Amino acid sequence: MLTVDFSRFPLAAGDRVLDLGCGAGRHAFECYRRGAQVVAVDRNGEEIREVAKWFAAMKEAGEAPAGATATAMEGDALALPFPDDSFDVVIISEVMEHIHDDKGVLAEMVRVLKPGGRIAITVPRYGPEKICWALSDAYHEVEGGHIRIYKADELLGKMKAAGLKPYGTHHAHGLHSPYWWLKCAFGVDNDKALPVKAYHKLLVWDIMKKPMATRLAEQALNPLIGKSFVAYATKPHLPVSAAQ
C-alpha cells in the first residue's frame, strides 16, 4: 500500500533514492522495482533487518531490473551519514509526526538532496487525525507515538522555510480513516471487536484484489477523509550569483 503517488512523483531508473524512516520498506521496495539505487534508513534495527531480507529476496527473484541496487541501514534522521547533495530523491512517509525536531529533519533531508532533486513527504491528515486523538489517548500517547498533527499550510510553510519549493499535494487512503476511527473507538489494541475485524477484512481484500468499486470509492473519499496528506517539492538550483 503506497502513499506516494509515483505518477505525480517521477522516478527514473538509476535515481539515487533515500527512503528515510522506511519502516517495513513499502516505498523502498517500489523504488527498487523501478530501477532506482535505494538506501532505506530507519532507527529500528529489527525492521531494517527485515527490509534487508526482502531486498535480497527481491534480487533473487529478479524483481528489480539490472542496475538497481538496494541497501538497508540503521540511522538517525537528525544526523544522516551521507555527504551533501547525495540523493536525487528523498521520501519520508508517516515519520515527521513522530519527531520533536521536525525542522532539523527537514534541514538534513535538504542537505543530502541534490539541487534539482525531488522530495515526497507524507503525514497524517489534520481532520481524520484529530478524530483519532479525540477518540483515544492510547492512539498517540505511547512511546514513539504521534506528537503533533500537521495542518497542510503548516507543513508546506516548514518545507518552504527549509529551502524547498512545493509543487503538488493530495490526500490518500480515504478508506483507511474509518478503520482507525473504529480502532480508536473500540480500543487500539482490541483487534477482536467485530466492526474492527470486518473492516480490516475489507481493507485486506481491497489491497490484494484492487477491485474497481473500492478504487472508485477511495478516489471519491480521498479529498474528504483521506488519512494521509502528501506533499511534493523540489530543491531549487542556486542562482549562478549565489553559487559563485
Side-chain angles (χ1 to χ4, degrees), residues 193-215:
L194 183 59
V196 174
K197 288 176 65 177
Y199 205 103
H200 183 264
K201 186 175 181 180
L202 169 67
L203 292 179
V204 171
W205 174 72
D206 172 59
I207 291 169
M208 298 299 294
K209 301 296 184 181
K210 296 181 174 61
M212 183 61 68
T214 54
R215 294 299 83 220

Side-chain angles (χ1 to χ4, degrees), residues 9-12 15 88-90 113 116-120 167 233-235:
F9 188 66
L11 187 69
D15 276 351
D88 302 290
V89 173
V90 175
L113 184 64
R118 304 171 303 285
I119 188 167
Y167 69 83
T234 59
K235 177 180 175 177

Side-chain angles (χ1 to χ4, degrees), residues 58-104:
M58 291 172 68
K59 181 178 181 179
E60 181 71 20
E63 289 190 37
T69 61
T71 303
M73 59 185 291
E74 289 186 58
D76 182 352
L78 291 166
L80 295 171
F82 309 113
D84 297 355
D85 307 336
S86 294
F87 294 94
D88 302 290
V89 173
V90 175
I91 297 171
I92 184 166
S93 183
E94 311 299 302
V95 174
M96 288 181 57
E97 67 276 7
H98 296 271
I99 299 176
H100 286 277
D101 186 7
D102 58 345
K103 291 182 180 179

Side-chain angles (χ1 to χ4, degrees), residues 149-165:
I149 308 175
Y150 288 101
K151 290 185 177 180
D153 289 346
E154 175 192 3
L155 179 60
L156 293 171
K158 289 185 175 184
M159 292 169 67
K160 292 174 184 176
L164 294 168
K165 184 177 181 181

